[in-house]
Amino acid sequence: MNSLQKQYDLDKHTWDECAETYERQIVGGHPDILAFENFEEDFLDRVLRHLSQVQNRPVKLMDIGCGSGRLHLRYGAKTQHITCLPESHPLYALKQNVPELAFDPLIAEKLREVWGIDFSANMIGLAKEKLETSGLNGNQTIALTFEQGSAFDLNEQSDKCMPLAISLVNSIGVMQGQAGAVELFKSMRRAVEAARGIAIISCYQQEYVQSYGLGQYESTLDVSGQPVWMIPDTYASSQYRQIPKSYKLAHSKDLTLVVDVFNSENQLVKKGHQLQREPGRTERVIRTGDIDTYSEYKSHWYSFRKIDDLINEYWGTENSFHFKTKYLDALRAEPAQLAILDYGQHLNQIFKSWKVL
Ligand SMILES: C[S@@+](CC[C@H](N)C(=O)[O-])C[C@H]1O[C@@H](n2cnc3c(N)ncnc32)[C@H](O)[C@@H]1O
């Protein structure tokens, strides 16, 4: 078995294990991550609206590493008009409580399908559950579909639809290291090239590991495990759950983290246990962008330069764009970057108006 396949199998197990906590703590948790996800969603809304105006084909949105299906829920809801729903419908209440999920006529005009792929059966299970609870169980106006499988095996899409493939919130960083990143670039290109579609990779930058990354992983250690740069490792094993007292936000200077420790029977073992950064290991994470925890969780924050190299090598320069998201939104998207492959030059106009080119 080659090393990429071996890492794939290991990571698949890790993601199946952490699916539920990931959903609670990351998707609906850490404020900086939520802010960035909101930025990604607003960005995608704008792209979809623009595509509705500048091209004729229906759009197929492809969410690569779709996790618990936040795009399925968002666009399932945004393409459904509240007046078509009975008041007893779960989506009716959801739409009334969350203004962002209001009907968007421009998006609804062209978006025909949200398709997602993820290797974790548990993640896809959560996504389907979420759609079911929201009343998006087959009667909505667009198709909401999933496939359990590898992000590296995407099929070439037919040109009947315009494929818009997107990989969000640093999914590339958890896709089996640099060999996985290369496969993701190749696979997304294969999916959209013939149909003259768009591929977008949204990820963090290594340059922000110190100001954003360390604190994020530290204060979500109950999801992905105790970071290896935090000591002591007394409660780092899977026998214990360490629950942080608060989130560490961007630019925090705090080198410590206080947690309550619980055993597998959910009994409190130690209150106010203090972890602290080990300087040598912390320096290594900042220098390499390699995030490791005691639970075998691995992530990588790619430098701006490295993503540039991947774009040049696997997407070419003619149809691609690369920019720092802080130039679009310094408050919500300071630490990230967008890599974009746009075969039809569909997005030139908005990029020019945003002055990111
Ligand atoms: C950071 S999460 C993002 C989830 C979701 N896109 C979101 O924005 O909430 C990354 C997702 O990628 C999935 N994943 C990691 N490697 C994968 C691979 N090689 N193929 C398919 N899915 C993968 C994980 O199961 C996980 O759900």
Side-chain angles (χ1 to χ4, degrees), residues 8 11-12 15-16 22-23 26-27 37 40-41 63-71 117-121 123 130 149-152 166-172 174-176 180 297:
Y8 181 95
D11 288 354
K12 186 166 175 287
W15 278 94
D16 270 332
Y22 178 85
E23 172 69 5
I26 307 283
V27 179
E37 288 176 343
E40 286 180 322
E41 287 158 10
D63 188 357
I64 316 303
C66 64
S68 56
R70 72 181 157 112
L71 297 188
I117 188 162
D118 202 287
F119 66 5
S120 162
M123 277 293 185
K130 224 157 72 173
S150 169
F152 310 147
I166 188 158
S167 181
L168 292 169
V169 69
N170 208 42
S171 293
I172 189 174
V174 298
M175 288 189 174
Q176 298 80 61
Y297 173 92

Side-chain angles (χ1 to χ4, degrees), residues 17 22 24 28 60 154 159 172 179 185 190 209 225 258 310 318 321 336 343:
E17 290 287 294
Y22 178 85
R24 199 172 53 248
K60 174 177 176 181
L154 300 177
D159 64 3
I172 189 174
F185 266 84
R190 184 171 56 247
V209 164
V258 179
L310 286 164
E318 204 181 324
F321 306 96
Y343 275 110

Side-chain angles (χ1 to χ4, degrees), residues 185-223:
F185 266 84
K186 292 201 289 199
S187 180
M188 289 180 76
R189 175 179 181 158
R190 184 171 56 247
V192 304
E193 185 169 12
R196 301 189 67 71
I198 298 173
I200 302 176
I201 294 177
S202 165
C203 62
Y204 292 129
Q205 293 176 62
Q206 185 190 330
E207 292 80 352
Y208 290 85
V209 164
Q210 180 161 24
S211 50
Y212 277 78
L214 295 176
Q216 268 180 27
Y217 288 99
E218 288 163 7
S219 55
T220 55
L221 85 175
D222 49 330
V223 182

